[in-house]
Amino acid sequence: MSPYNSTPVVDPVLTNIIRGYRQSGRIGRLLFPEVEVTRRSGTVIEFGKEDFMLYNSRRSAGSATKRIEFGHQGKPFALVQDSLESKLPREYADETTQLTTELGTRATTKVMNALTLALEYEQAALATSHAYYSSGNKQTLSGEDQWTHPDSNPAKIVEHARHAIRNKCGLYPNTLILGPKPFSALRNNAFISNRFRNADIVTAEMLGKLFNIEQVVEGTAMMADQSGAFHDVWGNFAVLGYAPREPQGVEEPSYGYTYTYKGNPFVEVPYWEANTKSWIYGVTYERQAVLAGMEAGFLIIDPAGEE
């Protein structure tokens, strides 16, 4: 029997806990908010200028009502299923085979940390890929434009990106995601420092007010390669985009989405493994990050030069 046709035995308490799981360095959800889908494959609902147009909705008596459609069928998508188990040895549970919610939370949080890091990597890979942006929605910085240069003006670069997005989709971006190096470059930039002379440190909130962007965040997530060396997930990039904070469905215009299969992620009822004398907690997460409205995004490439 196909696993898709069987009903998983879900632990409702732990499932509710992991669905509220947030790791401070995982910020891809701000550009790719999660929306529930009821199919594991299909086509992405993509958005263009027509989704932000002013429509003439007035009608005269007896005339037909005008009809509009938001979004159009774009590229195909297929959800991926990530599933991991966490082993909780009996010795960690004070040599008891009795489970508690606290122990279960510890075990499943460890798994969610791994699963959300994989998702963060996929979201960042989409958002920082040059190929997905039109020429008017990306800019490579060099020389005096790079934010580590003493004569650079980051506010001018960000303002250009804000207007480029608004001219394409009618909305200003509400999020600016920065890799750690670009974030550090901004905080230490001479132009920025001069705007906040009385501040001990320049914060993300201060940058948001200066740039007139609702949320400025640093993507601090790191991943290790096969040699064990760590690399920044968000790299030397700055990404501006518009995405709704609490979308009601895939039909709402957005830079991107994380299509998530209904009921996911979920924790299966833990089971006892006698050979290892451990409780086993399994977590499954079916989802796919997708780009839905590239006109609502702008990529700044290499904003931080060599230090």
Side-chain angles (χ1 to χ4, degrees):
M1 178 183 294
S2 167
Y4 289 160
N5 294 328
S6 61
T7 302
V9 182
V10 177
D11 184 310
V13 175
L14 292 177
T15 293
N16 187 58
I17 290 173
I18 66 165
R19 287 183 184 171
Y21 174 82
R22 290 288 183 270
Q23 212 274 2
S24 60
R26 313 286 157 76
I27 43 77
R29 66 183 184 279
L30 299 176
L31 289 178
F32 298 87
E34 193 170 279
V35 288
E36 186 177 275
V37 295
T38 57
R39 299 175 59 189
R40 290 185 167 87
S41 63
T43 53
V44 177
I45 302 299
E46 296 182 348
F47 306 97
K49 290 184 175 66
E50 65 277 4
D51 298 296
F52 303 93
M53 290 174 58
L54 177 65
Y55 286 90
N56 180 10
S57 58
R58 195 157 299 163
R59 65 179 290 272
S60 59
S63 66
T65 302
K66 298 180 180 66
R67 184 174 300 170
I68 61 174
E69 294 183 12
F70 287 104
H72 62 276
Q73 291 188 344
K75 301 178 183 66
F77 76 88
L79 302 186
V80 296
Q81 181 185 109
D82 286 350
S83 190
L84 288 174
E85 290 184 334
S86 177
K87 184 174 69 174
L88 182 67
R90 181 175 62 189
E91 291 78 7
Y92 292 180
D94 297 328
E95 298 187 354
T96 176
T97 56
Q98 298 299 314
L99 296 184
T100 66
T101 300
E102 179 185 357
L103 290 173
T105 300
R106 284 161 49 188
T108 53
T109 296
K110 181 179 180 180
V111 175
M112 281 301 293
N113 183 62
L115 296 182
T116 57
L117 179 58
L119 175 58
E120 184 85 359
Y121 174 80
E122 293 170 22
Q123 292 167 335
L126 286 174
T128 60
S129 177
H130 309 198
Y132 293 129
Y133 294 83
S134 65
S135 58
N137 285 64
K138 59 185 174 183
Q139 182 178 4
T140 301
L141 303 187
S142 61
E144 294 184 2
D145 287 331
Q146 289 184 310
W147 299 341
T148 47
H149 195 283
D151 296 327
S152 67
N153 183 349
K156 181 179 179 181
I157 301 296
V158 174
E159 186 70 2
H160 167 74
R162 289 179 68 247
H163 284 288
I165 291 175
R166 184 170 179 266
N167 290 337
K168 291 287 186 69
C169 73
L171 292 171
Y172 282 118
N174 58 358
T175 299
L176 168 59
I177 289 180
L178 300 160
K181 288 184 179 179
F183 182 64
S184 177
L186 279 180
R187 295 174 63 186
N188 293 286
N189 177 269
F191 175 87
I192 300 295
S193 299
N194 287 335
R195 298 296 297 267
F196 301 106
R197 293 178 181 176
N198 297 323
D200 293 330
I201 188 171
V202 177
T203 66
E205 290 74 17
M206 294 162 67
L207 291 172
K209 291 181 179 179
L210 175 63
F211 297 148
N212 198 18
I213 295 177
E214 181 182 318
Q215 195 158 218
V216 174
V217 292
E218 178 189 10
T220 59
M222 300 189 79
M223 289 190 70
D225 60 23
Q226 295 298 318
S227 68
F230 279 88
H231 304 276
D232 291 323
V233 169
W234 287 93
N236 189 9
F237 298 95
V239 186
L240 295 90
Y242 172 81
R245 290 289 171 255
E246 296 182 3
Q248 300 303 305
V250 298
E251 301 82 7
E252 190 170 350
S254 175
Y255 167 89
Y257 277 122
T258 299
Y259 285 1
T260 305
Y261 192 65
K262 61 180 180 179
N264 277 254
F266 64 86
V267 180
E268 297 188 37
V269 173
Y271 63 91
W272 175 253
E273 187 177 74
N275 184 51
T276 61
K277 295 178 176 55
S278 301
W279 287 102
I280 308 299
Y281 290 80
V283 181
T284 296
Y285 195 4
E286 283 192 78
R287 80 299 177 280
Q288 182 66 60
V290 301
L291 295 167
M294 293 307 295
E295 303 291 359
F298 193 100
L299 178 65
I300 301 176
I301 305 161
D302 294 336
E306 296 294 332
E307 297 180 355

